[in-house]
Amino acid sequence: MFEVLCAVLILAVQASTLRDDGCTITEFEQIEDIVSSCSDIFVDDLVVPGGETLNLTLKQGASATIRGQITFGYTEWGGPLVQISGSGITVTGETDNVLDGQGQLYWDGLGEWGVLKPNFFNIQADANSLIQGLYVLDCPLHCVVIANSSDVTLKDWSINNAAGDRDVAPLNKYSLNTDGFDIWNSTNVVIRDMVVFNQDDCVSVRSGSNVLVDNVFCHGSKGISISVGFSNDSIESNTLENVTFTNSVVVGGWNAIHIRTHADSGEGIINNVTYENIVFSGLQEYGINIQQNYVDVPENSTSNPSPRDNIPITNLIFNNITGTVVPQAVPVYINCADGACSDWHWHGVTVGGTEAMNSCNYLPEGFQC
Ligand SMILES: *[C@@H]1O[C@H](CO)[C@@H](O)[C@H](O)[C@H]1NC(C)=O
Ligand SMILES: *[C@@H]1O[C@H](CO)[C@@H](O)[C@H](O)[C@H]1NC(C)=O
Ligand SMILES: *[C@@H]1O[C@H](CO)[C@@H](O)[C@H](O)[C@H]1NC(C)=O
Ligand SMILES: *[C@@H]1O[C@H](CO)[C@@H](O)[C@H](O)[C@H]1NC(C)=O
Ligand SMILES: *[C@@H]1O[C@H](CO)[C@@H](O)[C@H](O)[C@H]1NC(C)=O
Ligand SMILES: *[C@@H]1O[C@H](CO)[C@@H](O)[C@H](O)[C@H]1NC(C)=O
Ligand SMILES: *[C@@H]1O[C@H](CO)[C@@H](O)[C@H](O)[C@H]1NC(C)=O
Ligand SMILES: *[C@@H]1O[C@H](CO)[C@@H](O)[C@H](O)[C@H]1NC(C)=O
């Protein structure tokens, strides 16, 4: 009798916490209705079936709070696993939230060249939107893509893809192309107070303007990067202006700073980029790598076209950039096309840890190559 009573009580309590105001998502099927009707949403311990998106396309000014464990089922598809869209929206991860992409089920050591893998987050937000406090575990491919956005701040995220590191994952099951934050065609974007363990660019800014990246810790990455030239015909898509990276730390991985223009792209420009107060250690290939001959090819295949002047890099400021690379790595590499690099001002740039030589075919003011 007592047990029955207890069971009834527990059911009653559960029902009352679940009932709340009808704005808590605990089942995948609830998402569409709740997102379209509520302005203050909770997402609580959810399983998202493979091949489906947790689509938080929120009403104007709405907020969503992510709690508990959100797990995404396995399916070979392009994603995204999570869509966050809206104007003036706030998305907050509560303490102990985990979004688990189950990347280890996809990783095959081939990244975007292997089985089809979903991107994790796609974000399109504006009008002072804020997305904060999310804990992202095991991205199958790119972790966070921000595109077509303006006036948006992302802060206090952790991206933990450490299980995909080559020396941690099972043989040939490591991960590649797990960019932390990719920013496309966006303006007035702030990325701050992030911790990223991954295997490709920690942050990669591709097009747009007025982007600030502040206080990011990167581990195992290909660096805090700029990568411009993804279009053959749109100058706008190949244009990046007014970007600042500050107060950040890069530990291990391929490059600390990587700026690249794509040799197989149409025309554009990179103008007014500042890196300031960056420290790094233990880089495996380059400390600072700036190249105007980049081509995206599978791992270990070589492509070294001559640098091209399709995307000039002007007004590149480096201030107080210090760090170390491993003994065989190149400290500073600059490969510009004739006349396509100008007005670079570098002060307090020192890279140690190696006897290897710098290699520069353009000399920034204030730097001894
Ligand atoms: C998310 O929902 C919005 C609004 O219903 C829809 O337009 C959009 O295509 C959906 N996106 C994804 C990735 O499912
Ligand atoms: C950004 O907008 C362009 C043009 O509408 C569209 O083709 C592209 O898919 C959008 N990007 C993302 C990641 O949503
Ligand atoms: C850039 O984003 C804006 C929305 O902010 C969109 O209207 C435009 O089509 C996008 N351009 C490209 C090249 O994707
Ligand atoms: C531009 O066109 C060339 C030749 O068709 C192609 O090889 C290359 O991949 C294209 N580049 C981009 C960025 O789409
Ligand atoms: C870059 O910043 C300058 C100075 O604030 C501003 O005048 C310019 O419009 C910005 N460029 C873009 C593309 O927003
Ligand atoms: C360069 O970009 C920064 C933001 O990163 C901005 O504050 C500054 O005004 C820009 N300078 C010029 C000359 O546009
Ligand atoms: C240089 O950058 C480091 C790392 O961000 C910082 O601790 C130091 O205070 C900076 N030095 C100066 C002179 O600003
Ligand atoms: C690339 O080379 C490394 C080191 O030799 C090797 O471990 C890795 O399996 C290779 N990757 C591919 C995709 O061949």
Side-chain angles (χ1 to χ4, degrees), residues 46-125:
L46 182 69
V47 175
V48 178
E52 300 281 0
T53 299
L54 169 55
N55 189 342
L56 301 175
T57 295
L58 303 181
K59 292 172 35 157
Q60 179 161 7
S63 64
T65 304
I66 316 280
R67 298 169 158 169
Q69 171 97 17
I70 319 292
T71 305
F72 297 85
Y74 175 88
T75 291
E76 290 173 20
W77 70 306
L81 304 181
V82 182
Q83 174 76 43
I84 297 177
S85 312
S87 292
I89 59 172
T90 305
V91 175
T92 303
E94 275 193 2
T95 313
D96 300 332
N97 81 90
V98 178
L99 294 125
D100 182 356
Q102 301 206 82
Q104 70 282 359
L105 301 177
Y106 301 84
W107 299 330
D108 52 8
L110 298 169
E112 61 194 26
W113 312 94
V115 300
L116 186 57
K117 305 171 179 71
N119 284 346
F120 208 141
F121 282 80
N122 192 23
I123 295 175
Q124 178 174 359

Side-chain angles (χ1 to χ4, degrees), residues 332-352:
V332 176
Y333 176 79
I334 298 173
N335 188 3
C336 288
D338 258 3
C341 293
S342 58
D343 279 319
W344 296 12
H345 304 279
W346 291 19
H347 298 281
V349 177
T350 57
V351 183

Side-chain angles (χ1 to χ4, degrees), residues 209-210 241-242:
S209 61
N210 303 352
E241 197 165 48
N242 299 353

Side-chain angles (χ1 to χ4, degrees), residues 268-284:
I269 188 165
I270 298 173
N271 180 43
N272 186 28
V273 171
T274 300
Y275 285 78
E276 192 161 38
N277 301 347
I278 312 291
V279 291
F280 56 89
S281 61
L283 273 299
Q284 305 281 324

